[in-house]
Coordinates of all heavy atoms in Angstrom, one line a residue:
K789 N 1.0 10.9 120.5 CA 0.3 10.4 121.6 C -0.5 11.4 122.3 O -0.1 12.6 122.3 CB 1.2 9.7 122.6 CG 1.9 8.5 122.1 CD 2.7 7.9 123.2 CE 3.6 6.8 122.7 NZ 4.4 6.3 123.7
G790 N -1.5 11.1 123.0 CA -2.3 12.0 123.8 C -3.0 11.3 124.9 O -3.0 10.0 124.9
V791 N -3.6 12.0 125.8 CA -4.4 11.5 126.8 C -5.7 11.0 126.3 O -6.3 11.6 125.5 CB -4.6 12.5 127.9 CG1 -5.5 12.0 129.1 CG2 -3.3 13.0 128.5
S792 N -6.2 9.8 126.7 CA -7.4 9.2 126.2 C -8.6 10.1 126.6 O -8.7 10.5 127.7 CB -7.5 7.8 126.8 OG -8.8 7.3 126.6
K793 N -9.5 10.3 125.6 CA -10.8 11.0 125.9 C -11.7 10.1 126.7 O -12.6 10.6 127.4 CB -11.5 11.4 124.6 CG -10.7 12.4 123.8 CD -11.5 12.8 122.5 CE -11.2 11.7 121.5 NZ -11.7 12.0 120.2
E794 N -11.4 8.8 126.7 CA -12.2 7.8 127.5 C -11.6 7.7 128.9 O -12.0 6.8 129.6 CB -12.3 6.5 126.8 CG -13.2 6.5 125.5 CD -12.4 7.1 124.3 OE1 -11.2 7.1 124.3 OE2 -13.1 7.6 123.4
H795 N -10.6 8.5 129.3 CA -10.0 8.5 130.6 C -9.2 7.2 130.9 O -9.0 6.8 132.0 CB -11.0 8.7 131.7 CG -11.8 10.0 131.4 ND1 -11.2 11.2 131.5 CD2 -13.1 10.2 131.1 CE1 -12.1 12.2 131.2 NE2 -13.3 11.5 130.9
S796 N -8.8 6.5 129.8 CA -7.9 5.3 130.0 C -6.5 5.9 130.4 O -6.1 6.9 130.0 CB -7.8 4.6 128.7 OG -6.8 3.6 128.8
P797 N -5.8 5.1 131.3 CA -4.5 5.6 131.7 C -3.4 5.5 130.6 O -2.4 6.1 130.6 CB -4.1 4.7 132.8 CG -4.9 3.4 132.6 CD -6.2 3.9 131.9
D798 N -3.7 4.7 129.5 CA -2.7 4.6 128.4 C -2.9 5.6 127.4 O -4.1 6.0 127.0 CB -2.9 3.2 127.8 CG -2.7 2.0 128.7 OD1 -1.8 2.1 129.6 OD2 -3.5 1.1 128.6
P799 N -1.8 6.2 126.9 CA -1.9 7.2 125.8 C -2.4 6.6 124.5 O -2.2 5.4 124.3 CB -0.5 7.8 125.6 CG 0.4 6.8 126.3 CD -0.5 6.0 127.3
I800 N -3.1 7.3 123.7 CA -3.7 6.8 122.5 C -3.4 7.7 121.3 O -3.0 8.9 121.5 CB -5.2 6.5 122.6 CG1 -6.0 7.8 122.9 CG2 -5.5 5.5 123.6 CD1 -7.5 7.7 122.7
V801 N -3.6 7.3 120.1 CA -3.6 8.1 118.9 C -4.8 7.9 118.1 O -5.5 6.9 118.2 CB -2.3 7.8 118.0 CG1 -1.1 8.1 118.7 CG2 -2.4 6.4 117.5
Q802 N -5.2 8.9 117.3 CA -6.3 8.8 116.3 C -5.7 8.7 114.9 O -4.6 9.2 114.7 CB -7.1 10.1 116.3 CG -7.9 10.3 117.6 CD -8.8 11.6 117.4 OE1 -9.6 11.6 116.5 NE2 -8.5 12.6 118.1
M803 N -6.4 8.0 114.0 CA -5.9 7.9 112.7 C -7.0 8.2 111.7 O -8.1 7.7 111.8 CB -5.4 6.5 112.4 CG -4.9 6.3 111.0 SD -4.2 4.7 110.6 CE -5.6 3.7 110.5
G804 N -6.7 9.1 110.8 CA -7.6 9.4 109.7 C -7.1 8.6 108.5 O -5.9 8.7 108.1
L805 N -8.0 7.8 107.9 CA -7.6 6.9 106.8 C -8.3 7.3 105.5 O -9.5 7.5 105.5 CB -8.0 5.5 107.2 CG -7.6 4.4 106.2 CD1 -6.1 4.3 106.0 CD2 -8.2 3.0 106.6
F806 N -7.5 7.4 104.5 CA -8.0 7.8 103.1 C -7.8 6.5 102.2 O -6.7 6.0 102.1 CB -7.3 9.0 102.6 CG -7.5 10.2 103.4 CD1 -6.7 10.5 104.4 CD2 -8.5 11.1 103.0 CE1 -6.9 11.7 105.2 CE2 -8.8 12.2 103.8 CZ -8.0 12.5 104.9
M807 N -9.0 6.1 101.6 CA -8.9 4.9 100.8 C -9.4 5.2 99.4 O -10.2 6.2 99.2 CB -9.8 3.8 101.4 CG -9.3 3.4 102.8 SD -10.3 2.1 103.5 CE -12.0 2.8 103.6
D808 N -9.1 4.4 98.4 CA -9.6 4.6 97.1 C -10.9 3.8 96.9 O -11.4 3.3 97.9 CB -8.6 4.1 96.0 CG -8.3 2.6 96.0 OD1 -9.0 1.9 96.6 OD2 -7.4 2.2 95.3
T809 N -11.5 3.8 95.7 CA -12.8 3.2 95.6 C -12.8 1.7 95.8 O -13.9 1.1 95.9 CB -13.4 3.5 94.2 OG1 -12.4 3.1 93.2 CG2 -13.7 5.0 94.0
N810 N -11.6 1.1 95.7 CA -11.5 -0.4 96.0 C -11.2 -0.7 97.5 O -11.0 -1.8 97.8 CB -10.4 -0.9 95.1 CG -10.7 -0.8 93.7 OD1 -11.8 -1.1 93.2 ND2 -9.8 -0.3 92.9
G811 N -11.2 0.3 98.3 CA -10.9 0.1 99.7 C -9.4 0.0 100.0 O -9.0 -0.4 101.1
I812 N -8.6 0.3 99.1 CA -7.1 0.3 99.2 C -6.7 1.6 99.9 O -7.0 2.7 99.4 CB -6.4 0.1 97.9 CG1 -6.9 -1.2 97.2 CG2 -4.9 0.0 98.1 CD1 -6.7 -2.5 97.9
P813 N -5.9 1.5 101.0 CA -5.5 2.8 101.6 C -4.6 3.6 100.7 O -3.7 3.0 100.0 CB -4.7 2.3 102.8 CG -5.3 0.9 103.1 CD -5.6 0.4 101.8
I814 N -4.8 4.9 100.6 CA -4.0 5.8 99.9 C -3.0 6.4 100.8 O -1.8 6.5 100.5 CB -4.8 6.9 99.3 CG1 -5.8 6.4 98.3 CG2 -4.0 8.0 98.6 CD1 -6.9 7.4 97.8
T815 N -3.4 6.9 102.0 CA -2.6 7.5 103.0 C -3.3 7.6 104.3 O -4.5 7.3 104.3 CB -2.1 8.9 102.5 OG1 -1.1 9.4 103.4 CG2 -3.2 9.9 102.5
Y816 N -2.6 8.0 105.3 CA -3.3 8.2 106.6 C -2.6 9.4 107.3 O -1.6 9.9 106.9 CB -3.2 7.0 107.5 CG -1.7 6.6 107.8 CD1 -1.2 7.1 109.0 CD2 -0.9 5.9 107.0 CE1 0.1 6.8 109.4 CE2 0.4 5.6 107.3 CZ 0.9 6.0 108.5 OH 2.2 5.8 108.9
K817 N -3.3 9.9 108.3 CA -2.8 11.0 109.1 C -3.0 10.6 110.6 O -4.1 10.2 110.9 CB -3.5 12.3 108.8 CG -3.2 13.5 109.6 CD -1.9 14.1 109.2 CE -1.7 15.4 110.0 NZ -0.4 15.7 110.4
L818 N -2.0 10.7 111.4 CA -2.1 10.5 112.8 C -2.3 11.8 113.6 O -1.7 12.8 113.3 CB -0.9 9.7 113.4 CG -0.6 8.3 112.8 CD1 0.7 7.8 113.4 CD2 -1.8 7.4 113.1
F819 N -3.1 11.7 114.6 CA -3.4 12.8 115.5 C -3.3 12.4 117.0 O -3.5 11.2 117.3 CB -4.9 13.4 115.3 CG -5.1 13.9 113.9 CD1 -5.6 13.1 112.9 CD2 -4.8 15.2 113.6 CE1 -5.8 13.6 111.6 CE2 -5.0 15.7 112.3 CZ -5.5 14.9 111.3
P820 N -3.0 13.3 117.9 CA -3.0 13.0 119.3 C -4.4 12.4 119.7 O -5.4 12.9 119.2 CB -2.7 14.3 120.0 CG -2.1 15.2 119.0 CD -2.7 14.7 117.7
G821 N -4.4 11.5 120.6 CA -5.6 10.8 121.0 C -6.6 11.8 121.7 O -7.8 11.6 121.8
N822 N -6.0 12.9 122.3 CA -6.9 13.8 123.0 C -7.3 15.0 122.1 O -8.0 15.9 122.5 CB -6.2 14.4 124.2 CG -4.9 15.1 123.9 OD1 -4.3 15.0 122.8 ND2 -4.4 15.8 124.9
A823 N -7.0 14.9 120.8 CA -7.4 16.0 119.9 C -8.9 15.8 119.6 O -9.4 14.7 119.3 CB -6.7 15.9 118.6
P824 N -9.7 16.8 119.7 CA -11.1 16.7 119.3 C -11.3 16.3 117.9 O -10.6 16.8 117.0 CB -11.7 18.1 119.5 CG -10.7 18.8 120.4 CD -9.4 18.2 120.1
D825 N -12.2 15.3 117.6 CA -12.4 14.8 116.3 C -12.6 15.9 115.3 O -12.1 15.9 114.1 CB -13.6 13.8 116.2 CG -13.3 12.5 117.0 OD1 -12.1 12.3 117.3 OD2 -14.2 11.8 117.2
K826 N -13.4 16.9 115.7 CA -13.8 18.0 114.8 C -12.6 18.8 114.2 O -12.8 19.4 113.2 CB -14.9 18.9 115.4 CG -14.3 19.7 116.6 CD -15.4 20.5 117.3 CE -14.9 21.2 118.5 NZ -16.0 22.0 119.1
T827 N -11.5 18.7 114.9 CA -10.3 19.5 114.5 C -9.4 18.8 113.5 O -8.4 19.3 113.1 CB -9.5 20.0 115.7 OG1 -9.0 18.8 116.4 CG2 -10.3 20.8 116.7
T828 N -9.7 17.5 113.2 CA -8.8 16.7 112.4 C -9.2 16.7 110.9 O -8.3 16.4 110.1 CB -8.8 15.3 113.0 OG1 -10.1 14.7 112.9 CG2 -8.3 15.2 114.4
L829 N -10.4 16.9 110.6 CA -10.9 16.7 109.2 C -10.2 17.7 108.2 O -9.7 17.4 107.2 CB -12.4 16.8 109.1 CG -12.9 16.7 107.7 CD1 -12.7 15.2 107.2 CD2 -14.4 17.0 107.6
I830 N -10.3 19.0 108.5 CA -9.8 20.0 107.6 C -8.4 19.9 107.3 O -7.9 19.9 106.1 CB -10.2 21.5 108.1 CG1 -11.8 21.6 108.0 CG2 -9.5 22.5 107.2 CD1 -12.3 22.9 108.5
P831 N -7.5 19.8 108.3 CA -6.1 19.6 108.0 C -5.8 18.3 107.2 O -5.0 18.4 106.3 CB -5.4 19.5 109.4 CG -6.3 19.9 110.4 CD -7.7 19.8 109.8
A832 N -6.4 17.2 107.5 CA -6.2 16.0 106.8 C -6.7 16.1 105.4 O -6.0 15.7 104.4 CB -6.8 14.8 107.5
L833 N -7.9 16.6 105.2 CA -8.5 16.7 103.8 C -7.7 17.7 103.0 O -7.5 17.5 101.8 CB -9.9 17.2 104.0 CG -10.8 17.1 102.7 CD1 -10.7 15.7 102.0 CD2 -12.2 17.5 103.0
S834 N -7.3 18.8 103.5 CA -6.5 19.8 102.7 C -5.2 19.2 102.3 O -4.7 19.4 101.2 CB -6.3 21.1 103.4 OG -5.5 21.0 104.5
R835 N -4.6 18.4 103.2 CA -3.3 17.8 102.9 C -3.4 16.8 101.7 O -2.7 16.8 100.8 CB -2.7 17.1 104.1 CG -1.4 16.4 103.8 CD -0.8 15.6 105.0 NE -0.4 14.4 104.4 CZ -0.6 13.2 104.8 NH1 -1.3 13.0 105.9 NH2 -0.1 12.1 104.2
I836 N -4.5 15.9 101.8 CA -4.6 14.9 100.7 C -5.0 15.6 99.4 O -4.5 15.2 98.3 CB -5.6 13.9 101.1 CG1 -5.5 12.7 100.2 CG2 -7.0 14.4 101.1 CD1 -6.3 11.4 100.6
Q837 N -5.7 16.7 99.4 CA -6.1 17.4 98.2 C -4.8 18.1 97.6 O -4.7 18.1 96.4 CB -7.1 18.4 98.4 CG -8.5 17.8 98.7 CD -9.5 18.8 99.1 OE1 -9.3 19.8 99.9 NE2 -10.8 18.6 98.7
R838 N -3.9 18.5 98.4 CA -2.7 19.2 98.0 C -1.7 18.2 97.4 O -1.0 18.4 96.4 CB -2.1 19.9 99.2 CG -1.3 21.1 98.9 CD -0.8 21.9 100.1 NE -0.4 21.1 101.2 CZ -1.0 20.9 102.4 NH1 -2.2 21.5 102.6 NH2 -0.6 20.2 103.4
E839 N -1.5 17.0 98.1 CA -0.5 16.1 97.8 C -0.8 15.0 96.7 O 0.1 14.4 96.2 CB 0.0 15.4 99.1 CG 0.7 16.3 100.0 CD 1.1 15.6 101.3 OE1 1.0 14.4 101.4 OE2 1.6 16.3 102.2
Y840 N -2.1 14.8 96.5 CA -2.5 13.7 95.6 C -3.4 14.3 94.5 O -4.2 15.2 94.7 CB -3.3 12.6 96.4 CG -2.4 11.9 97.4 CD1 -2.3 12.4 98.7 CD2 -1.6 10.8 97.0 CE1 -1.4 11.8 99.6 CE2 -0.8 10.2 98.0 CZ -0.7 10.7 99.2 OH 0.1 10.1 100.2
S841 N -3.4 13.7 93.4 CA -4.2 14.1 92.3 C -5.5 13.2 92.3 O -5.6 12.2 91.5 CB -3.4 13.8 91.0 OG -3.4 14.9 90.1
L842 N -6.4 13.6 93.1 CA -7.6 12.8 93.2 C -8.7 13.4 92.4 O -8.8 14.7 92.3 CB -8.0 12.7 94.7 CG -7.0 12.0 95.6 CD1 -7.5 12.1 97.1 CD2 -6.7 10.6 95.2
G843 N -9.6 12.6 92.0 CA -10.9 13.2 91.4 C -11.8 13.5 92.5 O -11.5 14.0 93.5
R844 N -13.1 13.2 92.3 CA -14.1 13.5 93.2 C -14.0 12.5 94.4 O -13.6 11.4 94.3 CB -15.5 13.3 92.6 CG -15.5 14.0 91.2 CD -16.4 15.0 90.9 NE -17.4 15.5 91.7 CZ -18.7 15.5 91.4 NH1 -19.1 15.1 90.2 NH2 -19.6 16.1 92.2
I845 N -14.3 13.0 95.6 CA -14.2 12.2 96.8 C -15.5 12.1 97.5 O -16.4 12.9 97.4 CB -13.1 12.8 97.7 CG1 -13.5 14.2 98.2 CG2 -11.7 12.9 97.1 CD1 -12.6 14.8 99.2
I846 N -15.5 11.0 98.3 CA -16.7 10.7 99.2 C -16.2 10.8 100.6 O -15.2 10.2 100.9 CB -17.3 9.3 98.9 CG1 -17.8 9.2 97.4 CG2 -18.3 9.0 99.9 CD1 -18.2 7.8 97.0
I847 N -16.9 11.5 101.4 CA -16.5 11.6 102.8 C -17.5 10.8 103.7 O -18.7 11.1 103.6 CB -16.5 13.1 103.3 CG1 -15.4 13.8 102.5 CG2 -16.3 13.2 104.8 CD1 -15.2 15.2 102.7
V848 N -17.0 9.9 104.5 CA -17.8 9.2 105.4 C -17.4 9.6 106.8 O -16.2 9.4 107.1 CB -17.7 7.6 105.2 CG1 -18.5 6.9 106.2 CG2 -18.1 7.3 103.8
A849 N -18.3 10.1 107.6 CA -17.9 10.7 108.9 C -18.9 10.3 110.0 O -20.1 10.1 109.7 CB -17.8 12.2 108.8
D850 N -18.4 10.3 111.2 CA -19.3 10.2 112.3 C -19.8 11.5 112.8 O -19.4 12.6 112.3 CB -18.7 9.3 113.4 CG -17.6 9.9 114.1 OD1 -17.2 11.1 113.8 OD2 -16.9 9.2 114.9
K851 N -20.6 11.5 113.8 CA -21.2 12.7 114.4 C -20.1 13.7 114.8 O -20.3 14.9 114.7 CB -22.1 12.4 115.5 CG -22.9 13.5 116.0 CD -23.9 13.0 117.1 CE -23.3 13.0 118.4 NZ -24.3 12.9 119.5
G852 N -19.0 13.2 115.3 CA -17.9 14.1 115.8 C -17.2 15.0 114.7 O -16.6 16.0 115.0
L853 N -17.4 14.6 113.5 CA -16.7 15.3 112.4 C -17.7 16.3 111.7 O -17.2 17.2 110.9 CB -16.1 14.3 111.4 CG -14.9 13.5 111.8 CD1 -14.5 12.6 110.7 CD2 -13.7 14.5 112.1
T854 N -18.9 16.1 111.8 CA -19.9 16.9 111.0 C -20.3 18.2 111.8 O -21.5 18.4 112.0 CB -21.1 16.1 110.7 OG1 -21.7 15.5 111.9 CG2 -20.8 14.9 109.7
T855 N -19.3 19.1 112.0 CA -19.6 20.4 112.6 C -19.9 21.4 111.4 O -19.7 21.1 110.3 CB -18.4 20.9 113.3 OG1 -17.3 21.1 112.4 CG2 -17.9 19.9 114.4
G856 N -20.4 22.5 111.8 CA -20.7 23.5 110.8 C -19.5 23.9 110.0 O -19.6 24.0 108.7
D857 N -18.4 24.2 110.7 CA -17.2 24.5 110.0 C -16.7 23.4 109.0 O -16.3 23.7 107.9 CB -16.0 24.9 110.9 CG -16.3 26.2 111.7 OD1 -17.1 27.0 111.2 OD2 -15.6 26.4 112.7
N858 N -16.7 22.2 109.4 CA -16.3 21.1 108.6 C -17.2 20.9 107.4 O -16.7 20.7 106.3 CB -16.2 19.8 109.4 CG -15.0 19.8 110.3 OD1 -14.1 20.6 110.1 ND2 -15.0 18.8 111.2
I859 N -18.5 21.0 107.6 CA -19.4 20.9 106.5 C -19.2 22.0 105.5 O -19.2 21.8 104.3 CB -20.9 20.8 107.0 CG1 -21.1 19.5 107.7 CG2 -21.9 21.0 105.8 CD1 -22.4 19.3 108.4
W860 N -19.0 23.3 106.0 CA -18.8 24.4 105.1 C -17.5 24.1 104.3 O -17.5 24.4 103.0 CB -18.6 25.7 105.9 CG -18.3 26.9 105.0 CD1 -19.3 27.7 104.4 CD2 -17.1 27.3 104.6 NE1 -18.6 28.6 103.6 CE2 -17.2 28.4 103.8 CE3 -15.8 27.0 104.9 CZ2 -16.2 29.1 103.2 CZ3 -14.7 27.6 104.4 CH2 -14.9 28.7 103.5
Y861 N -16.5 23.7 104.9 CA -15.2 23.4 104.2 C -15.4 22.3 103.1 O -15.0 22.4 102.0 CB -14.1 23.0 105.2 CG -12.8 22.7 104.5 CD1 -12.0 23.7 104.2 CD2 -12.4 21.4 104.1 CE1 -10.7 23.5 103.6 CE2 -11.2 21.2 103.5 CZ -10.4 22.2 103.3 OH -9.2 22.0 102.6
I862 N -16.1 21.2 103.5 CA -16.4 20.2 102.5 C -17.2 20.6 101.3 O -16.8 20.4 100.2 CB -17.2 19.0 103.2 CG1 -16.3 18.3 104.3 CG2 -17.7 18.0 102.2 CD1 -17.0 17.4 105.2
L863 N -18.2 21.4 101.6 CA -19.1 21.8 100.5 C -18.4 22.9 99.6 O -18.7 23.0 98.4 CB -20.4 22.4 101.0 CG -21.3 21.4 101.8 CD1 -22.6 22.0 102.2 CD2 -21.5 20.1 100.9
S864 N -17.4 23.6 100.1 CA -16.7 24.6 99.3 C -15.6 24.0 98.6 O -15.0 24.6 97.7 CB -16.2 25.8 100.2 OG -15.2 25.3 101.1
A865 N -15.3 22.7 98.8 CA -14.1 22.1 98.2 C -14.3 21.8 96.7 O -13.4 21.5 96.0 CB -13.8 20.8 98.9
K866 N -15.6 21.8 96.2 CA -15.9 21.6 94.8 C -15.7 20.2 94.2 O -16.1 19.9 93.2 CB -15.2 22.6 93.9 CG -15.4 24.0 94.3 CD -16.8 24.5 94.0 CE -16.8 26.0 94.2 NZ -18.0 26.5 94.8
N867 N -14.9 19.4 94.9 CA -14.6 18.0 94.3 C -15.2 16.9 95.2 O -14.9 15.8 95.0 CB -13.2 17.8 94.1 CG -12.4 17.8 95.4 OD1 -12.8 18.4 96.4 ND2 -11.2 17.1 95.4
V868 N -16.1 17.3 96.1 CA -16.7 16.3 97.0 C -18.0 15.7 96.3 O -18.9 16.5 96.0 CB -17.0 16.8 98.4 CG1 -17.8 15.8 99.2 CG2 -15.7 17.3 99.1
L869 N -18.0 14.4 96.1 CA -19.2 13.8 95.5 C -20.4 13.7 96.4 O -21.5 14.0 96.1 CB -18.8 12.5 94.9 CG -20.0 11.7 94.2 CD1 -20.6 12.4 93.1 CD2 -19.5 10.3 93.8
C870 N -20.1 13.2 97.6 CA -21.1 13.1 98.6 C -20.6 13.0 100.0 O -19.4 12.7 100.2 CB -22.1 11.9 98.4 SG -21.3 10.3 98.6
V871 N -21.4 13.3 101.0 CA -21.1 13.2 102.4 C -22.1 12.2 103.1 O -23.3 12.4 103.0 CB -21.2 14.6 103.1 CG1 -20.8 14.5 104.6 CG2 -20.3 15.6 102.4
V872 N -21.5 11.2 103.8 CA -22.3 10.2 104.5 C -22.0 10.3 105.9 O -20.9 10.4 106.4 CB -22.0 8.8 104.0 CG1 -22.8 7.8 104.7 CG2 -22.2 8.7 102.5
L873 N -23.1 10.4 106.7 CA -23.0 10.5 108.2 C -23.3 9.1 108.8 O -24.3 8.6 108.4 CB -23.9 11.6 108.8 CG -24.1 11.6 110.3 CD1 -22.8 11.9 111.0 CD2 -25.2 12.5 110.7
I874 N -22.5 8.6 109.6 CA -22.8 7.4 110.3 C -23.1 7.8 111.8 O -22.3 8.4 112.5 CB -21.6 6.4 110.3 CG1 -21.3 6.0 108.9 CG2 -21.9 5.2 111.2 CD1 -20.1 5.1 108.7
W875 N -24.3 7.4 112.2 CA -24.8 7.8 113.5 C -25.6 6.7 114.1 O -26.6 6.3 113.4 CB -25.5 9.1 113.4 CG -25.9 9.7 114.7 CD1 -25.1 10.1 115.8 CD2 -27.3 10.0 115.2 NE1 -25.9 10.6 116.8 CE2 -27.2 10.6 116.5 CE3 -28.5 9.9 114.6 CZ2 -28.3 11.0 117.2 CZ3 -29.6 10.3 115.3 CH2 -29.5 10.8 116.5
R876 N -25.3 6.2 115.2 CA -26.0 5.2 115.9 C -26.2 3.9 115.0 O -27.4 3.4 114.8 CB -27.4 5.6 116.4 CG -27.2 6.7 117.5 CD -28.5 7.0 118.1 NE -28.3 8.0 119.2 CZ -29.3 8.5 119.9 NH1 -30.5 8.1 119.7 NH2 -29.0 9.4 120.9
K877 N -25.2 3.6 114.3 CA -25.1 2.4 113.4 C -26.0 2.5 112.2 O -26.2 1.6 111.5 CB -25.5 1.1 114.2 CG -24.5 0.8 115.3 CD -24.8 -0.5 116.0 CE -23.9 -0.7 117.2 NZ -24.2 -1.9 117.9
E878 N -26.5 3.7 111.9 CA -27.2 4.0 110.7 C -26.4 4.9 109.8 O -25.5 5.6 110.3 CB -28.5 4.7 111.0 CG -29.5 3.9 111.9 CD -30.1 2.8 111.2 OE1 -30.4 2.9 110.0 OE2 -30.4 1.8 111.8
Q879 N -26.7 4.8 108.5 CA -26.0 5.7 107.5 C -27.0 6.7 106.9 O -28.1 6.3 106.5 CB -25.3 4.8 106.4 CG -24.3 3.9 106.9 CD -23.7 3.1 105.8 OE1 -23.9 3.3 104.6 NE2 -23.0 2.0 106.2
F880 N -26.6 7.9 106.8 CA -27.4 9.0 106.2 C -26.6 9.7 105.2 O -25.5 10.2 105.4 CB -27.9 10.0 107.3 CG -28.6 9.3 108.5 CD1 -27.9 8.9 109.6 CD2 -30.0 9.1 108.4 CE1 -28.6 8.3 110.6 CE2 -30.7 8.6 109.5 CZ -30.0 8.1 110.6
L881 N -27.2 9.8 104.0 CA -26.6 10.6 102.9 C -27.0 12.0 103.1 O -28.2 12.4 103.0 CB -27.0 10.1 101.5 CG -26.5 10.7 100.3 CD1 -24.9 10.6 100.3 CD2 -27.1 10.1 99.1
L882 N -26.1 12.9 103.5 CA -26.4 14.3 103.8 C -26.3 15.2 102.6 O -27.1 16.2 102.5 CB -25.4 14.9 104.8 CG -25.3 14.2 106.2 CD1 -24.3 14.9 107.1 CD2 -26.7 14.2 106.8
W883 N -25.5 14.9 101.7 CA -25.2 15.8 100.5 C -24.7 15.0 99.4 O -23.9 14.1 99.6 CB -24.2 16.9 101.0 CG -23.9 17.9 100.0 CD1 -24.7 19.1 99.8 CD2 -22.9 18.0 99.1 NE1 -24.1 19.8 98.8 CE2 -23.0 19.2 98.3 CE3 -21.8 17.1 98.8 CZ2 -22.1 19.5 97.3 CZ3 -20.9 17.5 97.8 CH2 -21.1 18.7 97.1
Q884 N -25.2 15.3 98.2 CA -24.7 14.5 97.0 C -24.7 15.4 95.8 O -25.7 16.0 95.5 CB -25.5 13.3 96.7 CG -25.0 12.5 95.6 CD -25.8 11.2 95.4 OE1 -26.7 10.9 96.1 NE2 -25.4 10.5 94.4
D885 N -23.5 15.6 95.2 CA -23.3 16.3 94.0 C -24.0 17.6 93.9 O -24.7 17.8 92.9 CB -23.7 15.3 92.8 CG -22.9 15.6 91.6 OD1 -21.9 16.3 91.6 OD2 -23.3 15.2 90.5
G886 N -23.8 18.4 94.9 CA -24.4 19.8 94.8 C -25.7 19.9 95.4 O -26.3 21.0 95.4
E887 N -26.3 18.9 95.9 CA -27.7 19.0 96.5 C -27.8 18.5 97.9 O -27.2 17.4 98.1 CB -28.7 18.3 95.6 CG -28.8 18.9 94.2 CD -29.8 18.1 93.3 OE1 -30.7 17.5 93.9 OE2 -29.8 18.3 92.1
N888 N -28.5 19.2 98.7 CA -28.8 18.6 100.1 C -29.8 17.5 99.9 O -30.7 17.5 99.1 CB -29.4 19.7 101.0 CG -28.4 20.7 101.4 OD1 -27.3 20.5 101.6 ND2 -28.9 22.0 101.5
I889 N -29.6 16.4 100.7 CA -30.5 15.3 100.6 C -31.4 15.3 101.9 O -30.9 15.4 103.0 CB -29.7 14.0 100.6 CG1 -28.7 14.0 99.4 CG2 -30.6 12.8 100.5 CD1 -29.3 14.1 98.0
D890 N -32.7 15.2 101.8 CA -33.6 15.1 102.9 C -33.7 13.7 103.4 O -33.7 12.8 102.8 CB -34.9 15.7 102.6 CG -34.8 17.2 102.2 OD1 -34.0 17.9 102.8 OD2 -35.6 17.6 101.4

């Protein structure tokens, strides 16, 4: 539990959800609600890579997760197929299979 970033009096939690290509949940990770989004991706992604035998992965993230450090980590992971950014209800393909997308 953590203090709400939206200043709600009720404590909240964040959840990182990992799904397979059929949309079936594989696992999840809970974080305190007051944890900055940008600090949750690397620990959750490294855990799933360590604990599960996954092939190539697709990362769908909002603006809060796409920091320089997170993008560097994702691109150095070698098994990421693509990165999709969701921003203002639009989807942008940022990177796919080794190439930056304009």
